[in-house]
Amino acid sequence: MPGYRRPLANLAFEFCRRLVAGDLGDTDNCDTVWKILADEVVLRIFEGVLDEEESVGESDQDFSVETIVAFLAECAEAFEPSVDDDEDEAEFAGTFESHGPSSPHTATHMSSTFASPLLSRVQNDVYPDAGSSRSQSLHPSDDFFENPNSNSSRMVANRSYPIQALSALISIFSQLCFTPHAPPADYDYVLAYILRVFESLTLLPVKGKSVRVRLVTLQFLMRLRADRDHRLYFSDTGYDPEAQVISLSALINRVGLSENADAPPPPTLDAVSELRKARARARIPPSERDMMPSRDRGGRLSQSFSRNATSRSRSRVGGPVLAGSVPRSRTRTALWRVPEQLLFSVDTVDTPSEILGTYDPSGPDGVVVLPISEYLSTLLTILESEKSWDILSYVLCHLPIQLANKHLFCGPKSRVVISKILTILCLGVLEGGTFARSIERWPLGIKIRDAHGLCYHTLSVLVSYKGYFDIKQRHSLVEVFLGGLSGQPATIMCCLNALSVSVFELQPSVIRYLSSILEKLSQIMSNPDMAVHILSFLSIVGSHPPLYSNFVENDYKMVFGVALQYLQHHNRMTRADSPDSPMKSWALSQHVRILSYHLVYVWFLAVKLPDRPKYLRYITRQLLLANEGNDQVDDPTEVCFDWLARYTYASADPRPANSLLQDIVINSTSATEGQGISRSLADTATSEKTWLLGNSIVTIRALRKLGWIELLSRRPSGYTKFLGRLENVPLVGPGDVDPDMFTIPAVHLMDREFSQAHRPDADEDGKEEDRGEQRHLVHDLLGRPQTNQEEPHRPDPLAGYVWSRTAPSQRRKDVAIDPSFFALQLSSYPDRLGPSNVRMLVDSAAVPKFTANLDRMPVIDTHKVGIMYVAPGQATEIEILRNTHGSPAYTTFLEGIGRLINLRGQIDVYAGGLNPDEDGEYAYAWWDDIGQILYHTATMMPSHPHDEHSTFKKRHIGNDFVRIVWNDSGMPYRFDTLATQFQFVNIVIEPHSVGHISAYSSSFHETEYFKVVVQRADGMIEFAPVGHYKLVSAENLPLLVRQLSLLADWFAYVFSRTDGDTLRVDVRTNWQERLSAIRRFKDQQIKASGSDTKENGSVVDSVDDKGQKDGILAQEAFRDFTSSF
């Protein structure tokens, strides 16, 4: 075959040389000739014919591979006069439309210039629609947006010879790299030409004379990716999985075919033509003008074509007006749009190269790798000094998703260039920066700030490259995000999302600028769309104590001010109660309101206990201002005041737990010991009375143990129990009637915990010795540790840990109590202590039933979240749910997201419906003072043999509003993979680079960073602080995902309660439900008494009545309880 193939290739090469020289006229419709040339180069390279051997036959017109490649590179760099002379009417990619029949000159040009029957037949085989129909521009179909990156939609019409030469170079590179071939005769020879062609491609975006050629080159280069084995491939179907390119392109009006309707009317055709010719003559030196071949775009444009092209022009910036010409007022057509249609074809896509990689972990002396650093240097040059907005905008819109493929940029040289890119962008977008100031022409409506706005998306990805930067550069990165908070709304949200990740990844830098960030956030708090990202960021910061360890009073007040500022905004909008309310999402508004109160709770707990009272006055006033205009404070505010009364003077838990002391004092009768028998009031107490004090239910019980009392205070924010002994009661020792044996704890402890079998032959001395040992043991348990003993390791005061049969609130933590705590819990706050606000229930028959129901209401927020592992190649819910283990990285993630608890015997732990007999004995959970998350982990639940469809697992995970999906499948995770009606949010964690082989690897290099994507149900507005995606280190991944799952479950709950954001209903928390229950019980008791008067018959005005008379702010004096307690 070479004997027949080579003459045809030589003929094609000669034809191309003549075409470039201008001897053949039109250059547009010769794709097949250039394709033959590219295929011939590939075949010769794989045949291993050296250039020296080829040069022997060059005299017989058998051209060498080097000659052809050099010719193609030179052609691609050439000036493209048919396009570049007429920038005003440039047509490209998605801007093509059908303009009717082409001119006869264009239709017949190919047959008249090259009459080879063989070439014509080959052309018809490769492009069946070649000919006159190909000279018509392609018209987009109705499903134009369905697959914008499909390789099947490549454009092959009207391409000048520089574009055709570039397409040939791309074809050579892609075939050598990606298309499977028989083993080449010489691998080094093949690699040498791959590097040679790649070098030419990387130089074209900066050295090419045609903007369109440079753009097409970037279209190819910016779609290159590397898998987890650093093997290169061309990305097609998964090029933009999160639609980030589309979103960024929309910010600069580069999506779809819509034109600027507000553009002024175009001038006449003659004026435009004269202006175009004059500009072309002025731009080209006379010497080059004389040497330029006489040709156009394959024939003169018809008048209808020119008018259509003119009227559809996209945008234009006014330039110099030549004498005698019409002032320039048309818009200029963009050279690229989304969805794109590529002017080249790659036969093998999404398939990793078998012969070439981008990085060799074994070191520089290993295999030959592609010099990606050269490509990065090209991008650096473009970012530094590019003059064309088409080129710069394309790079800014496509660079973030390519940088997200971290395996593509692992080499040491790439590290250096990426560091320079960071410096250029940071310095360029800071105030007074020079980025994009070299652009010569800006489209209508686009300004330099739009270019800066796109830069922030690239910088947010560069956070994951922190290992490439020194500490000064990391500080600069956070400083840039701080500066972006003064930008446009899209820029602000991008910077907030980047800062949310920087909290973990760039902690020292965030600490450095956190006060300035808070000050800026307090200035931009406005609508829910912005507020949800601000509050999410502050919630994440509040969950990370090292960040605010150096906070001062003003810093805390700024945080409280940001949260409470939105409450004022929300209440103003809801009071309007108008259909024209600016709240475009009621669910989002409700979510942000809940998040605002949550933020107050989180940050108030972050304040040291002695310092908390000084913030009460500020918080109280802001809460009342948020209710200004209302007759009374709303329920969330009332709950907030009650919560503040609980935690201002103590860090005690919101619910009590049974203690050994309680068991001894109340349940010491041996008849019920260990039998779980409920004790009646007569068995445990001699009397009991209950009072209604404001929003609290206070019960006092006189226990049968002489002098002992039990006091219970139930409030909306929690349940407090006091157990004490009245010291005014005489102490009765052993030998008297009803002795108080509790004063001798050793007796009780020996009877309950330390009974031992004695030897039958033991004498009295032995018994005394045994009792002495027991007394020492009791002393060791009850007494303080000796000073010379090493103090045990103290647990994390915030996270702590849980034992079996204990509640999350009973973790070991630092607990401090101020005496004011007792007074507040027994007071009628927020009502004043007066006859109208204190009521003793004479008939207490209804109390036990009410308190039993109230105690079943959680005193913290409870959440349940599913976790699933998707193994390599898995795609269906059955095989996913039946997994019983995951990769090492997945297991490490589970260990960090929560604490492992034993479900058996738990008394007060929110188990999320798990049954240890059916769903496994262990689960992961996380908690703090105000909430708990129980994780339904599929791999920890048993896969029963009789449950082939994993129904036991699905009944829990399928009912969760939020699911965390660890996706090692190597394929995109479909949102509806798990068939369930509760399809709201998926938090998908997957490698940032594709690949199956290394899914179970524990290599640090492969598991260093992961990609986090939040999938939302239709109708859900964006709420998560991750944007399109975020790259997070394995170390910080559990911390961020835990906060995401908490925020997501709140919003999903609100979204569900509002019926998919279609109902305007108030979403209530557990504390609000407890408040409503107490109020209902109080109203029932008042109604049952038949009067609101007291024994003396007088009616006393309540504080609430006075608040109505003087306005809501009149309550400030008594709402601030720090002045009285």
Side-chain angles (χ1 to χ4, degrees):
M1 284 301 294
Y4 297 96
R5 190 192 72 226
R6 289 183 179 235
L8 176 60
N10 293 334
L11 184 62
F13 180 63
E14 182 60 30
F15 169 80
C16 292
R17 292 175 63 178
R18 292 178 58 196
L19 185 148
V20 172
D23 298 339
L24 301 179
D26 181 31
T27 67
D28 285 349
N29 298 308
C30 306
D31 303 281
T32 304
V33 181
W34 297 90
K35 181 173 177 56
I36 291 174
L37 208 57
D39 292 343
E40 179 62 25
V41 170
V42 173
L43 290 173
R44 292 191 187 185
I45 291 175
F46 269 90
E47 289 171 356
V49 181
L50 301 179
D51 290 341
E52 291 78 4
E53 298 175 5
E54 292 180 304
S55 62
V56 176
E58 195 167 329
S59 59
D60 299 329
Q61 300 302 313
D62 194 5
F63 303 102
S64 68
V65 171
E66 177 60 31
T67 302
I68 298 175
V69 171
F71 169 76
L72 294 175
E74 184 178 358
C75 291
E77 290 185 13
F79 191 70
E80 192 181 10
S82 62
V83 174
D84 296 294
D85 281 358
D86 190 13
E87 293 177 4
D88 301 328
E89 295 179 349
E91 295 286 339
F92 186 65
T95 62
F96 280 78
E97 295 187 24
S98 179
H99 304 291
S102 60
S103 65
H105 177 80
T106 303
T108 60
H109 177 74
M110 186 67 188
S111 59
S112 63
T113 57
F114 198 84
S116 169
L118 176 60
L119 186 57
S120 299
R121 185 168 62 253
V122 172
Q123 180 174 354
N124 291 332
D125 292 338
V126 177
Y127 301 119
D129 57 345
S132 60
S133 63
R134 288 182 56 222
S135 62
Q136 300 179 13
S137 299
L138 300 180
H139 183 76
S141 60
D142 294 336
D143 57 348
F144 200 53
F145 281 87
E146 290 186 2
N147 192 6
N149 298 313
S150 175
N151 193 45
S152 61
S153 63
R154 306 286 183 237
M155 177 181 291
V156 293
N158 289 347
R159 303 191 297 180
S160 61
Y161 81 82
I163 294 292
Q164 293 166 334
L166 171 61
S167 180
L169 284 174
I170 292 174
S171 178
I172 293 172
F173 180 84
S174 60
Q175 289 188 63
L176 291 178
C177 282
F178 311 131
T179 303
H181 290 276
D186 189 343
Y187 267 109
D188 293 337
Y189 185 65
V190 174
L191 291 173
Y193 269 101
I194 290 177
L195 300 182
R196 167 73 174 83
V197 175
F198 182 75
E199 180 184 10
S200 299
L201 292 174
T202 55
L203 292 176
L204 278 175
V206 292
K207 290 190 174 181
K209 297 180 177 61
S210 167
V211 175
R212 191 165 68 150
V213 169
R214 298 169 59 203
L215 187 60
V216 174
T217 308
L218 287 172
Q219 285 182 316
F220 173 75
L221 292 175
M222 302 203 80
R223 282 169 168 77
L224 295 180
R225 299 289 186 271
D227 67 2
R228 278 189 275 182
D229 293 324
H230 304 282
R231 297 183 300 172
L232 191 72
Y233 68 94
F234 181 84
S235 178
D236 181 47
T237 56
Y239 172 63
D240 186 22
E242 285 78 38
Q244 184 181 26
V245 172
I246 296 177
S247 298
L248 299 186
S249 302
L251 296 177
I252 55 173
N253 303 324
R254 293 290 178 122
V255 175
L257 300 176
S258 61
E259 301 297 339
N260 189 351
D262 298 330
T268 62
L269 177 64
D270 292 339
V272 174
S273 301
E274 290 298 323
L275 177 62
R276 183 182 70 246
K277 294 176 182 178
R279 291 180 63 249
R281 286 194 298 268
R283 192 164 53 238
I284 303 174
S287 57
E288 293 184 18
R289 206 179 307 147
D290 296 337
M291 297 174 59
M292 205 176 297
S294 175
R295 59 179 179 273
D296 54 13
R297 298 188 191 182
R300 260 189 291 273
L301 293 170
S302 65
Q303 217 175 46
S304 61
F305 180 94
S306 298
R307 287 199 188 98
N308 290 338
T310 303
S311 63
R312 278 185 294 273
S313 297
R314 181 71 184 114
S315 57
R316 176 187 302 278
V317 176
V321 180
L322 300 180
S325 64
V326 177
R328 180 174 170 181
S329 57
R330 290 185 309 156
T331 58
R332 178 172 176 263
T333 303
L335 285 183
W336 69 273
R337 284 187 177 279
V338 173
E340 299 177 68
Q341 290 183 330
L342 308 182
L343 294 185
F344 58 87
S345 62
V346 177
D347 296 331
T348 305
V349 298
D350 302 319
T351 302
S353 173
E354 298 178 355
I355 62 175
L356 188 66
T358 60
Y359 175 70
D360 181 15
S362 61
D365 298 329
V367 299
V368 177
V369 297
L370 196 69
I372 290 294
S373 58
E374 295 181 5
Y375 163 63
L376 285 174
S377 298
T378 296
L379 296 180
L380 177 64
T381 302
I382 293 174
L383 296 173
E384 268 186 308
S385 56
E386 182 55 49
K387 298 180 180 180
S388 169
W389 173 240
D390 285 302
I391 298 296
L392 182 61
S393 63
Y394 191 87
V395 170
L396 292 177
C397 289
H398 291 74
L399 183 56
I401 61 172
Q402 190 173 41
L403 286 174
N405 178 216
K406 285 174 59 67
H407 279 81
L408 186 62
F409 308 106
C410 290
K413 294 182 179 179
S414 296
R415 292 169 176 251
V416 174
V417 183
I418 288 179
S419 177
K420 293 180 179 179
I421 290 177
L422 175 72
T423 301
I424 289 296
L425 293 179
C426 287
L427 295 178
V429 301
L430 286 173
E431 186 176 356
T434 59
F435 182 78
R437 294 194 180 275
S438 58
I439 298 297
E440 294 179 343
R441 297 174 44 152
W442 291 95
L444 185 64
I446 302 298
K447 300 180 180 179
I448 192 171
R449 68 178 183 181
D450 297 303
H452 290 186
L454 295 177
C455 287
Y456 290 103
H457 294 271
T458 297
L459 290 170
S460 65
V461 179
L462 289 178
V463 172
S464 63
Y465 289 83
K466 64 178 182 179
Y468 295 9
F469 312 135
D470 56 32
I471 188 63
K472 184 178 180 180
Q473 289 176 305
R474 298 181 187 182
H475 289 340
S476 298
L477 192 53
V478 175
E479 184 182 4
V480 169
F481 294 143
L482 169 60
L485 297 179
S486 302
Q488 303 175 86
T491 301
I492 294 175
M493 286 192 285
C494 174
C495 292
L496 282 172
N497 295 339
L499 286 171
S500 297
V501 176
S502 301
V503 162
F504 303 102
E505 303 296 339
L506 304 175
Q507 179 177 309
S509 302
V510 172
I511 293 175
R512 180 187 179 98
Y513 293 99
L514 190 52
S515 295
S516 301
I517 293 173
L518 295 177
E519 183 178 359
K520 178 60 66 176
L521 294 181
S522 65
Q523 301 170 5
I524 62 177
M525 190 75 171
S526 56
N527 56 64
D529 295 344
M530 189 66 64
V532 67
H533 296 279
I534 295 175
L535 298 180
S536 296
F537 167 72
L538 293 178
S539 177
I540 291 175
V541 174
S543 68
H544 209 44
L547 291 170
Y548 53 81
S549 58
N550 297 324
F551 264 29
V552 296
E553 182 176 350
N554 288 337
D555 295 325
Y556 285 109
K557 284 186 176 181
M558 275 194 290
V559 176
F560 294 133
V562 169
L564 298 171
Q565 182 181 344
Y566 175 74
L567 292 178
Q568 300 173 22
H569 171 80
H570 170 84
N571 290 343
R572 283 196 301 267
M573 295 300 101
T574 53
R575 279 196 299 270
D577 196 21
S578 169
D580 300 327
S581 173
M583 298 181 186
K584 65 180 182 180
S585 172
W586 177 257
L588 182 65
S589 178
Q590 289 287 299
H591 171 65
V592 174
R593 185 181 69 161
I594 293 174
L595 200 56
S596 298
Y597 285 105
H598 177 79
L599 205 63
V600 173
Y601 304 145
V602 169
W603 280 93
F604 194 76
L605 291 175
V607 179
K608 295 179 180 179
L609 187 64
D611 297 332
R612 292 178 187 176
K614 64 183 179 183
Y615 295 98
L616 251 296
R617 183 176 298 276
Y618 176 78
I619 295 175
T620 298
R621 184 166 185 81
Q622 296 302 315
L623 285 173
L624 294 177
L625 285 174
N627 285 268
E628 196 170 19
N630 298 340
D631 294 335
Q632 294 296 327
V633 297
D634 55 20
D635 284 359
T637 304
E638 194 69 75
V639 165
C640 186
F641 278 122
D642 188 79
W643 186 92
L644 291 170
R646 174 173 298 278
Y647 285 100
T648 299
Y649 293 116
S651 57
D653 297 317
R655 183 187 292 273
N658 294 334
S659 64
L660 178 61
L661 177 63
Q662 182 188 30
D663 289 341
I664 294 173
V665 174
I666 298 179
N667 301 319
S668 60
T669 305
S670 60
T672 60
E673 192 68 42
Q675 299 177 14
I677 300 176
S678 299
R679 307 301 303 278
S680 65
L681 175 63
D683 294 331
T684 61
T686 59
S687 62
E688 175 181 311
K689 290 185 178 181
T690 301
W691 287 264
L692 296 176
L693 298 177
N695 292 327
S696 65
I697 309 293
V698 177
T699 301
I700 301 178
R701 306 172 66 203
L703 303 180
R704 295 187 65 83
K705 286 290 185 180
L706 188 60
W708 286 87
I709 61 171
E710 185 181 38
L711 191 151
L712 304 96
S713 174
R714 294 176 172 91
R715 306 184 71 95
S717 61
Y719 169 25
T720 306
K721 179 187 293 186
F722 303 96
L723 184 63
R725 183 180 184 278
L726 184 65
E727 291 297 329
N728 299 69
V729 177
L731 179 63
V732 180
D736 293 332
V737 179
D738 295 329
D740 184 4
M741 302 301 294
F742 183 72
T743 56
I744 309 176
V747 176
H748 293 278
L749 291 175
M750 282 190 295
D751 290 342
R752 292 176 55 86
E753 303 291 343
F754 304 106
S755 58
Q756 298 180 4
H758 298 286
R759 300 189 306 272
D761 56 346
D763 53 14
E764 291 298 324
D765 294 338
K767 292 180 181 179
E768 184 63 27
E769 181 180 355
D770 291 340
R771 285 193 292 269
E773 293 177 356
Q774 291 171 355
R775 282 195 296 268
H776 285 299
L777 181 57
V778 171
H779 182 272
D780 291 341
L781 289 173
L782 298 179
R784 298 179 59 85
Q786 298 179 8
T787 56
N788 59 351
Q789 292 181 346
E790 183 179 355
E791 185 176 354
H793 176 69
R794 299 179 66 82
D796 187 338
L798 290 178
Y801 54 84
V802 152
W803 295 314
S804 178
R805 297 185 59 82
T806 58
S809 59
Q810 305 308 312
R811 66 197 185 282
R812 293 176 61 182
K813 66 173 186 178
D814 295 330
V815 177
I817 299 177
D818 187 276
S820 298
F821 172 77
F822 298 93
L824 262 175
Q825 294 304 304
L826 301 179
S827 72
S828 60
Y829 178 83
D831 296 337
R832 289 178 176 173
L833 189 62
S836 64
N837 298 317
V838 179
R839 181 181 300 274
M840 186 182 73
L841 302 180
V842 179
D843 182 14
S844 59
V847 174
K849 181 178 179 180
F850 167 72
T851 56
N853 292 331
L854 184 66
D855 292 346
R856 280 194 289 267
M857 294 183 181
V859 295
I860 56 176
D861 298 321
T862 55
H863 308 269
K864 53 189 181 72
V865 175
I867 299 181
M868 299 188 299
Y869 176 79
V870 187
Q874 292 183 343
T876 65
E877 69 170 48
I878 295 179
E879 55 188 1
I880 293 173
L881 289 175
R882 292 194 68 83
N883 288 330
T884 57
H885 62 277
S887 64
Y890 164 78
T891 304
T892 303
F893 167 77
L894 289 181
E895 294 173 354
I897 200 171
R899 300 294 177 121
L900 190 65
I901 63 172
N902 190 333
L903 295 173
R904 290 192 183 277
Q906 294 288 356
I907 298 174
D908 196 25
V909 172
Y910 174 67
L914 295 180
N915 183 347
D917 294 326
E918 297 177 346
D919 306 313
E921 295 190 8
Y922 299 93
Y924 281 99
W926 177 86
W927 53 84
D928 59 13
D929 282 299
I930 56 179
Q932 180 191 357
I933 307 175
L934 194 285
Y935 293 101
H936 292 146
T937 309
T939 54
M940 296 186 64
M941 300 180 184
S943 296
H944 302 288
H946 59 278
D947 186 18
E948 297 181 358
H949 299 283
S950 299
T951 307
F952 284 87
K953 294 184 180 182
K954 188 176 179 180
R955 67 180 178 180
H956 297 293
I957 298 176
N959 289 329
D960 294 333
F961 290 168
V962 178
R963 283 177 283 277
I964 300 171
V965 181
W966 188 282
N967 183 23
D968 270 341
S969 68
M971 301 174 290
Y973 181 81
R974 297 193 329 272
F975 180 72
D976 58 349
T977 298
L978 196 66
T980 173
Q981 65 180 11
F982 300 104
Q983 202 74 264
F984 293 112
V985 178
N986 289 335
I987 302 174
V988 182
I989 306 169
E990 57 190 3
H992 53 75
S993 303
V994 301
H996 297 281
I997 299 176
S998 303
Y1000 288 99
S1001 173
S1002 58
S1003 169
F1004 173 77
H1005 181 70
E1006 294 181 354
T1007 60
E1008 182 183 5
Y1009 276 86
F1010 291 91
K1011 187 177 185 180
V1012 178
V1013 179
V1014 176
Q1015 299 176 343
R1016 309 186 305 273
D1018 293 337
M1020 266 192 172
I1021 200 167
E1022 184 177 352
F1023 67 91
V1026 295
H1028 296 91
Y1029 60 86
K1030 281 292 174 287
L1031 299 183
V1032 187
S1033 64
E1035 177 186 4
N1036 296 311
L1037 183 65
L1039 306 178
L1040 177 63
V1041 173
R1042 180 199 301 155
Q1043 292 301 313
L1044 288 180
S1045 65
L1046 177 63
L1047 297 172
D1049 194 59
W1050 264 128
F1051 186 56
Y1053 172 73
V1054 173
F1055 192 77
S1056 173
R1057 292 297 302 270
T1058 57
D1059 195 16
D1061 205 4
T1062 59
L1063 300 178
R1064 293 186 61 143
V1065 296
D1066 284 336
V1067 180
R1068 302 176 64 82
T1069 64
N1070 292 333
W1071 291 329
Q1072 289 175 250
E1073 295 296 342
R1074 288 176 61 89
L1075 174 64
S1076 297
I1078 292 174
R1079 284 177 172 174
R1080 286 194 302 269
F1081 181 71
K1082 183 176 181 180
D1083 292 341
Q1084 292 171 2
Q1085 297 301 312
I1086 293 175
K1087 184 177 180 181
S1089 65
S1091 173
D1092 202 15
T1093 61
K1094 293 300 173 184
E1095 294 179 358
N1096 57 8
S1098 63
V1099 180
V1100 181
D1101 289 339
S1102 67
V1103 176
D1104 291 342
D1105 295 333
K1106 180 175 177 55
Q1108 293 181 28
K1109 296 175 184 177
D1110 299 338
I1112 201 73
L1113 289 179
Q1115 298 186 18
E1116 183 177 0
F1118 66 86
R1119 289 283 183 179
D1120 180 14
F1121 52 79
T1122 56
S1123 59
S1124 302
F1125 293 93

